Amino acid sequence: LWGGCERISPEAPVQVVDIAKETTVLGGAGNVINNLVTLGATVSVAGVIGSDENGDELLSMLHKIGVNTKALVVQDDRKTSKKSRVIAANQQILRYDQESKNAISETSVRDILKVLESAMNDFDIIILSDYGKGVLTESLAQGIITEAREKAKKVLVDPKGIEYSKYRGAHLLTPNKKEAIEATGIDIKDDTTLEAALLWLKKECELDRSMITLSEDGIGIYDDGGVKRFPTVAREVFDVTGAGDTVIASLAFALSGGMSIDEAAKFSNLAAGVVVGKIGSATVTLDEIVTYESSLHQSNSNAHIKSFNEIDHIVNYCRSNGNRIVFTNGCFDILHVGHVKYLQEAKSYGDILIVGLNSDASVRELKGPTRPVNSEDDRAYILAALDAVDYVVKFGDDTPYELIKMIAPDVLVKGGDYEGKEVVGTEFAGELRLVDFVDGKSTTKTIARIQEGNQC
């Protein structure tokens, strides 16, 4: 409930909030569902709701995002969880909750298990997102884990409380550091105590592997190869709300897609890095993860080399986020300091620098039969490794006209030698910037010096 406050109530010393609008979002385990959907997963949900207005609203929201609710059971004596926040002048002044916290009935347990047992082969992976509201009883958790193991399906658990025996036999748990300390009784303060806690979880809960999320220190995992740490990649932290939901959702998404546990941990760290830069219970998309990873320059150079179709998609996404797109092009045959300074200045004009790279055939047309010295694949890989360059796109035409037309950059950058000349594609760009080259630095001169050395 969003509004403003301009007076105190005459009935009691409390603020009077004039409600201007209401917004409703999926929270709790619903935030895990939301993250899976935005990542592109097909999702089914199991759980218990009440026979009430909140339950109807929840079902409607789930159906709207395409979630299968066949295993969502209605139990008449329960309240569907709803947390209401009153926000005045962008500050929360009150929250009131409506929910049931007692254990669900055995009838509800049987109803859920009956649906899941018949549908288990439809799933790639199962997430148990425990928010301590009485739904994940030991009989339900163990029933799901047992059935999943029989069908060779992995179960990932975001646990609650200190009694983890009900999660016995899961593939892995994702407690945070505080939760792991409380559950294991081990004070995690260095690599030795982290390993002890991970081993305790693996042994006591009979896990395939164990994991602990370590906030700003990333993720710690123990499997047959020992302890591994995966550092966080967050640049800015605005709000950690829902970060745990994003971690388990992205882990499940990655593992179900065939990634190794190491790859999945890195992927979930990237996803968490995106959501902590947002306000409130946030979700993440694959586009956001790809763009974020690219901006960190921690990915392989190949991840920055894009096709025409890929760059079109990326440009649309970046522009929707308000990013200023810069484009330049060239042969970039033997990379030298002049190239690097030119690209660094080009990047300074915006947020995303896209470099159009002449193919080998087009370089031969421009420079003659002895060029290029380096192949287009090699040139693209080296360019993509530069911090200033976000994406590289190879083109085979004599000019990048079609590429500039598609990208429609905010800034088109060319060399200072184009002063007074017509520049291809300017009609599609917001503005043209000319950058002076570094005196005495060029691929042609570099080749000449090499040839002179060979003659000596």
Side-chain angles (χ1 to χ4, degrees), residues 65 115 142 147 180 243 262 279 351 415 433 448:
I65 60 174
V115 177
Q142 280 300 295
E147 180 65 22
D262 291 5
I279 302 296
D351 304 303
R433 294 285 190 103

Side-chain angles (χ1 to χ4, degrees), residues 300-312:
N300 185 287
S301 286
N302 284 325
H304 301 266
I305 303 170
K306 301 299 180 183
S307 67
F308 269 56
N309 287 339
E310 288 173 325
I311 204 65
D312 186 30

Side-chain angles (χ1 to χ4, degrees), residues 4-20:
C5 176
E6 297 181 354
R7 62 194 178 100
I8 302 297
S9 171
E11 303 158 4
V14 295
Q15 299 177 74
V16 176
V17 180
D18 183 15
I19 301 298

Side-chain angles (χ1 to χ4, degrees), residues 433-454:
R433 294 285 190 103
L434 300 181
V435 176
D436 290 331
F437 293 125
V438 177
D439 288 341
K441 302 295 181 181
S442 74
T443 298
T444 301
K445 291 182 178 180
T446 300
I447 293 173
R449 284 196 296 274
I450 292 172
Q451 289 173 338
E452 288 169 5
N454 288 337

Side-chain angles (χ1 to χ4, degrees), residues 382-443:
I382 293 169
L383 277 175
L386 298 177
D387 282 346
V389 177
D390 293 289
Y391 300 105
V392 177
V393 186
K394 292 179 278 188
F395 66 93
D397 297 332
D398 290 341
T399 72
Y401 179 86
E402 293 297 331
L403 186 55
I404 297 170
K405 180 180 178 181
M406 181 182 68
I407 293 172
D410 297 287
V411 184
L412 176 60
V413 177
K414 293 295 289 183
D417 57 339
Y418 274 85
E419 182 72 49
K421 299 178 182 178
E422 184 179 347
V423 176
V424 168
T426 52
E427 64 266 40
F428 306 116
E431 63 175 302
L432 174 67
R433 294 285 190 103
L434 300 181
V435 176
D436 290 331
F437 293 125
V438 177
D439 288 341
K441 302 295 181 181
S442 74
T443 298

Side-chain angles (χ1 to χ4, degrees), residues 272-344:
V274 174
V275 299
V276 296
K278 300 180 179 181
I279 302 296
S281 295
T283 57
V284 61
T285 66
L286 282 176
D287 282 343
E288 288 175 319
I289 292 172
V290 169
T291 304
Y292 185 66
E293 182 181 27
S294 175
S295 71
L296 296 170
H297 270 272
Q298 293 182 352
S299 53
N300 185 287
S301 286
N302 284 325
H304 301 266
I305 303 170
K306 301 299 180 183
S307 67
F308 269 56
N309 287 339
E310 288 173 325
I311 204 65
D312 186 30
H313 188 68
I314 288 169
V315 164
N316 289 333
Y317 168 73
C318 291
R319 188 160 279 127
S320 70
N321 281 342
N323 295 133
R324 187 171 166 84
I325 310 295
V326 182
F327 176 85
T328 192
N329 66 281
C331 302
F332 299 99
D333 191 359
I334 298 177
L335 204 66
H336 52 72
V337 67
H339 288 141
V340 175
K341 289 187 175 182
Y342 172 85
L343 292 169
Q344 287 173 338

